[in-house]
């Protein structure tokens, strides 16, 4: 088999170890791996990874040392052209031209929407790996990159807490996650934040101010509020304005973590998840599976049809929201 592999959409820490696993698993079974650069855009431009012999093939040594590397050596992108029918037909023709039998896309919901569209024009197999910091895909408990993104955000929160304590301030820390509160909730819980403003829950400035007054009366000297970028009240700056207007009892500062959360060496949990899913994706292709994403649910490797992975909003665990509330006293 000739297996194409690429990373698409926002990069995530763990994409590189996943790529390493795909290459090692496929080569171990005697198959060829073609690395496609820059996601769907690179496919349309026929941009392939060249090994040290100048061949468009990924060898065992092409992925050496990738366990610890953030980002993706194949590069990533979002492609406008691939969103069109013409783009999808062209991509299918390119895959046929290069005799690629199967692909492993590593990415998030946009990547898998693309895979579904490609299926209409191409009869090769597709098994994807969930590579996104957002953890917003159904079909896996955690996506590759989520644990590292949370780790990075929690480190930032810990540092900010020092300054918040010294100056008796409130920090609003905006985290990524587009439409999902996963990064926000986990960061808030692990970082001991007092409030999390998430897209899944209503954010009421007056209510938060009331809570802050109670906390201040109980002797709290610093406050951390984690704001998901997709919160319906807007980002951290908008919430700061609303809190100020509602009479916030602490001086406030805002920090937007942004793309900082997408980089860095993947934490062990992401490396292991990426390795398991990359290997499983290849084994699933060899078993004949297609149009599915490899995931890990309750410790078990599972396949989920692409359409189900992004068809519905993945709810944040209710129990963890209640726990955060109980801890924020
Ligand atoms: O999907 C990953 C993600 O980092 C989201 O959390 C964020 O909203 C988005 O990508 C940012 O995209 P870009 O890198 O194109 O600004």
């Amino acid at each position: 088999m000739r297996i194409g592999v690429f990373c698409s959409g926002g990069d995530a820490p763990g994409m590189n170890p996943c790529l390493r696993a795909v290459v090692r698993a496929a080569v171990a079974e005697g198959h060829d791996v073609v690395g496609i650069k820059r996601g769907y855009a690179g496919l349309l431009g026929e941009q392939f990874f060249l090994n040290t012999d100048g061949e468009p093939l990924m060898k065992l040594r092409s992925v050496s040392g990738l366990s610890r590397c953030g980002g993706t050596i194949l590069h990533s992108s979002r492609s406008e052209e691939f969103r069109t029918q013409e783009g999808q037909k062209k991509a299918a023709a390119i895959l046929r031209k290069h005799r690629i039998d199967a692909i492993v896309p590593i990415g998030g919901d946009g990547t898998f929407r693309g895979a579904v569209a490609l299926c209409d024009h191409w009869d090769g197999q597709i098994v994807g790996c969930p590579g996104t910091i957002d953890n917003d895909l159904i079909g896996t408990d955690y996506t590759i990159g989520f644990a590292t993104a949370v780790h990075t955000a929690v480190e930032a929160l810990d540092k900010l807490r020092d300054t918040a304590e010294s100056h008796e301030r409130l920090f609003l820390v905006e985290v990524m996650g587009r439409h999902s509160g996963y990064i926000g909730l986990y960061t808030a819980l692990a970082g001991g934040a007092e409030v999390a403003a998430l897209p899944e829950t209503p954010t009421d400035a007056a209510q938060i101010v009331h809570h802050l007054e109670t906390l201040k009366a109980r002797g709290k000297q610093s406050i951390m509020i984690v704001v998901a970028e997709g919160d319906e009240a807007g980002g951290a700056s908008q919430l700061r304005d609303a809190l100020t207007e509602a009479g916030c009892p602490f001086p406030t500062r805002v920090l937007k973590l942004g793309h900082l959360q997408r980089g860095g060496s993947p934490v062990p949990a992401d490396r292991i998840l990426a390795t398991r899913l990359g290997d499983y994706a290849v084994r699933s292709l060899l078993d004949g599976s297609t149009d599915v994403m490899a995931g890990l649910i309750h410790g078990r490797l599972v396949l989920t049809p692409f359409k189900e992975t992004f068809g519905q909003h993945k709810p944040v665990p209710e129990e963890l929201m209640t726990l955060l509330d109980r801890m924020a006293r």
Side-chain angles (χ1 to χ4, degrees):
M1 249 183 154
R2 264 166 82 79
I3 300 173
V5 61
F6 61 87
C7 298
S8 166
D11 68 338
M15 279 182 161
N16 268 330
C18 187
L19 174 63
R20 172 178 174 269
V22 169
V23 172
R24 296 264 162 103
V27 173
E29 297 294 329
H31 301 280
D32 282 347
V33 181
V34 176
I36 299 162
K37 293 169 88 175
R38 303 181 185 88
Y40 291 111
L43 174 60
L44 289 170
E46 297 181 66
Q47 298 164 1
F48 301 111
F49 174 95
L50 300 180
N51 63 29
T52 48
D53 295 326
E55 309 161 308
L57 282 179
M58 299 196 83
K59 301 283 193 179
L60 292 174
R61 295 283 73 76
S62 306
V63 292
S64 289
L66 287 191
S67 296
R68 63 178 187 279
C69 297
T72 159
I73 61 162
L74 288 182
H75 307 288
S76 190
S77 69
R78 304 187 205 271
S79 167
E80 280 307 319
E81 187 186 354
F82 186 76
R83 283 180 214 268
T84 65
Q85 285 254 350
E86 292 68 44
Q88 291 150 19
K89 283 183 192 160
K90 184 175 161 191
I94 291 168
L95 288 169
R96 281 191 285 270
K97 174 179 162 191
H98 292 275
R99 293 177 294 103
I100 293 174
D101 307 297
I103 53 171
V104 180
I106 306 169
D109 60 334
T111 304
F112 297 153
R113 280 176 214 276
V116 169
L118 186 60
C119 290
D120 291 341
H121 309 284
W122 184 59
D123 56 10
Q125 288 170 257
I126 315 181
V127 176
C129 289
T132 166
I133 63 166
D134 295 348
N135 201 33
D136 58 351
L137 291 168
I138 290 174
T140 190
D141 288 338
Y142 298 108
T143 56
I144 298 163
F146 171 71
T148 308
V150 170
H151 180 84
T152 302
V154 171
E155 271 188 348
L157 231 70
D158 289 350
K159 288 184 174 140
L160 289 169
R161 180 71 87 169
D162 291 344
T163 301
E165 279 283 309
S166 305
H167 292 268
E168 297 166 273
R169 272 180 193 163
L170 178 156
F171 272 93
L172 291 117
V173 184
E174 185 176 306
V175 296
M176 276 190 163
R178 225 171 346 209
H179 312 297
S180 171
Y182 255 98
I183 297 178
L185 178 58
Y186 275 60
T187 301
L189 254 183
E194 281 72 22
V195 178
L198 311 177
E200 288 83 357
T201 53
T203 303
D204 180 333
Q207 216 170 57
I208 296 175
V209 166
H210 179 69
H211 181 48
L212 297 178
E213 278 160 354
T214 309
L215 293 178
K216 192 165 189 181
R218 286 194 199 132
K220 275 258 182 195
Q221 291 176 336
S222 69
I223 299 289
M224 304 302 294
I225 299 185
V226 178
V227 186
E229 63 173 339
D231 186 56
E232 77 289 351
S237 301
Q238 284 92 327
L239 184 55
R240 187 253 328 264
D241 294 347
L243 292 180
T244 307
E245 200 164 308
C248 179
F250 292 91
T252 60
R253 293 288 187 276
V254 170
L255 181 76
K256 205 168 161 171
L257 291 181
H259 291 83
L260 195 71
Q261 297 152 95
R262 292 240 295 261
S265 179
V267 297
D270 272 329
R271 298 183 196 195
I272 292 166
L273 181 65
T275 304
R276 291 185 73 181
L277 296 186
D279 174 73
Y280 182 51
V282 170
R283 287 191 288 114
S284 303
L285 281 177
L286 301 182
D287 284 347
S289 300
T290 189
D291 306 347
V292 288
M293 179 194 84
L296 190 71
I297 297 182
H298 298 143
R300 292 189 53 198
L301 292 162
V302 291
L303 297 173
T304 303
F306 282 134
K307 279 186 182 156
E308 286 176 29
T309 65
F310 56 75
Q312 281 176 14
H313 183 77
K314 178 173 171 175
V316 290
E318 192 92 19
E319 185 207 334
L320 295 189
M321 293 205 282
T322 313
L323 180 62
L324 177 69
D325 226 35
R326 247 199 334 273
M327 294 300 114
R329 306 269 144 185

